Amino acid sequence: MTEILDNLVALLSLEPIEENLFRGRSEDLGLRQLFGGQVLGQAVSAASQTVEPGRQVHSLHGYFLRPGDASLPVLYEVDPLRDGKSFSARRVTAIQKGRPIFTCAASFQAGEAGLEHQQPTMPEVPGPEGLLSETELARQVADRLPARIHDWAISAKPIEIRPVTRVNPFSPEPCAPIRYAWFRADGRLPDDPHLHRYLLAYASDFSLLNTALQPHGVSVFQRFMQVASLDHALWFHGDLRLDDWLLFAVESPWAANARGFARGHVFDRDGRLVASMAQEGLIRLREDWQ
């Protein structure tokens, strides 16, 4: 693994403090608050450490309750709701400053045979070869990046993202609420299926709400926009590897009442659907931005 990928793996590993209680470090990405993907990945990590070997997380439903502080660690309290013959259920609460900032329920299952089908099919888009990464695109406009995210935006990332759909965040024009991007970890990962799911949970918070902004010709880089995740749902459909290219296909079918809704599918290079997700978030026009 590269050093930056190793740092992300360490970020998601968590420190056991007491039975069903874990502590995670925080990472400052230059955002106004803690990156939601970090909390998602760490919550999956915490819950996974409390189930019997062989059971993998297959779904997560969570709510972002308060903005997190990227300068402080996060405590994760796991409530073991049930361990059945086939499924285990866990409730996870992320805590900072004595108050919950995120809560979720997660379900785990051991692998078993069953009926199989897949719909939708993988979109026909260009492959990742030859596409520029988000980091390379950011370096082309480095002089226009906000100071708080400048260094992070132009530096190497543990997860490389190569957009198929490119939107100018500084001068966005209205376009269809559809976005495609290839992504993978920047290095070889261990053969730990839990780890690949932690990392997908971390990456699943990228680009969802941005897609809901596209029909309106606005972006998160514009100071009059207030954008924040409200809830997040994630389903794992099968084994996956984050160190091979995956396609993130996102669409936003609705926005109103200062909220936007987006849903996405993740496909591997063979066109197999490996995960799905949905998110609703705040997309409010600030009245006091000037």
Side-chain angles (χ1 to χ4, degrees):
M1 291 189 292
T2 62
E3 181 178 356
I4 55 173
L5 181 57
D6 188 61
N7 290 338
L8 177 57
V9 171
L11 183 77
L12 300 180
S13 296
L14 305 185
E15 173 193 359
I17 298 176
E18 182 54 83
E19 186 174 1
N20 298 323
L21 187 63
F22 304 85
R23 177 165 50 210
R25 295 186 295 106
S26 292
E27 180 183 46
D28 188 353
L29 302 184
L31 306 173
R32 292 189 177 93
Q33 60 272 328
L34 191 64
F35 172 51
Q38 175 195 310
V39 183
L40 288 164
Q42 290 180 332
V44 173
S45 175
S48 299
Q49 294 182 52
T50 69
V51 299
E52 63 182 68
R55 294 195 176 186
Q56 303 291 333
V57 62
H58 71 86
S59 68
L60 175 146
H61 300 260
Y63 285 89
F64 295 93
L65 305 175
R66 294 179 176 88
D69 187 336
S71 68
L72 297 174
V74 185
L75 290 179
Y76 292 88
E77 184 177 24
V78 181
D79 184 1
L81 299 175
R82 181 177 183 270
D83 287 300
K85 293 182 179 180
S86 301
F87 292 86
S88 293
R90 297 291 185 267
R91 180 187 295 116
V92 184
T93 303
I95 302 167
Q96 278 190 329
K97 302 177 183 178
R99 300 194 299 175
I101 62 170
F102 173 79
T103 186
C104 73
S107 182
F108 295 75
Q109 181 191 20
E112 60 180 283
L115 302 176
E116 295 186 17
H117 75 274
Q118 174 181 317
Q119 181 68 26
T121 57
M122 182 176 177
E124 294 185 8
V125 300
E129 295 79 9
L131 296 176
L132 294 178
S133 70
E134 285 192 343
T135 300
E136 291 170 319
L137 294 170
R139 289 170 181 166
Q140 293 180 355
V141 293
D143 59 329
R144 302 182 62 187
L145 294 170
R148 68 179 186 278
I149 67 164
H150 178 276
D151 292 346
W152 174 81
I154 66 173
S155 63
K157 308 292 190 304
I159 296 179
E160 181 183 3
I161 301 175
R162 297 188 182 182
V164 177
T165 307
R166 292 172 56 175
V167 177
N168 185 338
F170 302 105
S171 183
E173 297 182 358
C175 62
I178 299 172
R179 182 176 294 213
Y180 303 119
W182 292 97
F183 68 102
R184 69 175 177 184
D186 184 31
R188 183 70 178 177
L189 291 165
D191 297 331
D192 178 359
H194 288 295
L195 174 61
H196 292 263
R197 297 187 185 212
Y198 307 162
L199 289 167
L200 180 58
Y202 176 90
S204 70
D205 198 35
F206 290 124
S207 297
L208 283 167
L209 288 185
N210 291 334
T211 308
L213 301 178
Q214 289 177 194
H216 312 282
V218 295
S219 85
V220 296
F221 284 100
Q222 294 172 307
R223 294 179 60 193
F224 58 81
M225 291 302 303
Q226 182 182 6
V227 181
S229 303
L230 294 174
D231 62 2
H232 193 96
L234 176 58
W235 296 266
F236 298 90
H237 304 311
D239 292 335
L240 57 98
R241 293 199 65 93
L242 251 289
D243 50 9
D244 196 3
W245 287 112
L246 298 170
L247 179 67
F248 198 5
V250 183
E251 63 174 353
S252 174
W254 174 90
N257 300 328
R259 306 194 317 274
F261 174 73
R263 59 194 177 202
H265 300 294
V266 178
F267 300 87
D268 66 14
R269 288 294 298 262
D270 295 327
R272 185 171 60 96
L273 182 66
V274 297
S276 299
M277 61 212 65
Q279 185 177 88
E280 188 176 57
L282 180 71
I283 50 172
R284 176 182 289 153
L285 298 172
R286 290 178 178 268
E287 297 180 358
D288 59 346
W289 68 277
Q290 293 182 330

